[in-house]
Amino acid sequence: MKHLRYIELKSGHADDGPAWIGYVTASKTGRTLYFNGRGLMKLKGQRRSDSGGNHIDMETGESFWVSGVKKNGEDRRRAGSGKVLIEAAAVAEYLQLIGTKKLDTSRCEVTTSIRGTDVERLSRLANVPGRGWPSNPEEITPYSFRRNITSPEE
């Protein structure tokens, strides 16, 4: 099932990283979201990264903020800047959600560049033994996710 979400890259960008409004697909448990060719794993508590993200890319370790879309259309934080790219297929639902008929082009731009995601491949990567978060909670730090996974055979 697809859900409309706000996604912002936090690693190296603070509040003005590239941002999108688009459809994500959730894993069975809901702990991983698939978007734009990426598997974004949910972070909790002490696992949250210094950059303020609540999800981490399972392959690159980059930090992302993912949230529901705000009904007032102001998804970026006040300190943030830059246009939010809106997935072309999501524009009608987004406009209905925020209760308007036209996009605010000073804040948003429609894009067709969002890539499909190989959910099956990323799901296999996330479930490879010895990858992901350590099973012992005492070993967990914000940086303990075993990343840069390229194939389940490694």
Side-chain angles (χ1 to χ4, degrees):
M1 179 174 213
K2 292 188 174 197
H3 306 280
L4 191 61
R5 294 289 183 259
Y6 172 77
I7 305 105
E8 181 178 331
L9 176 61
K10 301 299 277 181
S11 292
H13 295 282
D15 290 330
D16 55 2
W20 304 264
I21 290 175
Y23 290 114
V24 301
T25 303
S27 65
K28 289 182 200 174
T29 63
R31 287 184 247 162
T32 302
L33 299 176
Y34 302 102
F35 173 74
N36 201 16
R38 297 174 181 264
L40 305 175
M41 298 179 73
K42 186 165 184 63
L43 301 175
K44 294 182 181 178
Q46 78 272 20
R47 291 182 179 166
R48 286 215 173 160
S49 67
D50 292 337
S51 64
N54 62 355
H55 286 74
I56 187 170
D57 183 306
M58 68 172 58
E59 293 183 285
T60 67
E62 291 174 300
S63 179
F64 286 81
W65 179 261
V66 180
S67 65
V69 176
K70 293 184 181 176
K71 291 184 180 181
N72 65 6
E74 297 178 7
D75 294 284
R76 276 213 187 264
R77 294 181 64 148
R78 290 186 183 172
S81 63
K83 287 190 176 185
V84 175
L85 299 176
I86 300 180
E87 183 176 353
V91 172
E93 183 178 344
Y94 175 69
L95 290 175
Q96 181 180 10
L97 186 83
I98 65 171
T100 189
K101 294 181 184 196
K102 189 175 176 188
L103 280 177
D104 178 351
T105 55
S106 68
R107 292 192 317 218
C108 304
E109 185 177 312
V110 177
T111 184
T112 57
S113 65
I114 293 175
R115 300 176 298 161
T117 303
D118 186 347
V119 173
E120 189 176 312
R121 179 185 72 83
L122 292 170
S123 181
R124 283 193 313 268
L125 291 177
N127 292 298
V128 171
R131 302 294 184 166
W133 297 108
S135 27
N136 180 351
E138 293 181 13
E139 296 176 12
I140 295 172
T141 72
Y143 306 103
S144 60
F145 183 79
R146 295 181 186 105
R147 36 190 174 273
N148 297 325
I149 303 168
T150 55
S151 72
E153 291 80 36
E154 288 183 353

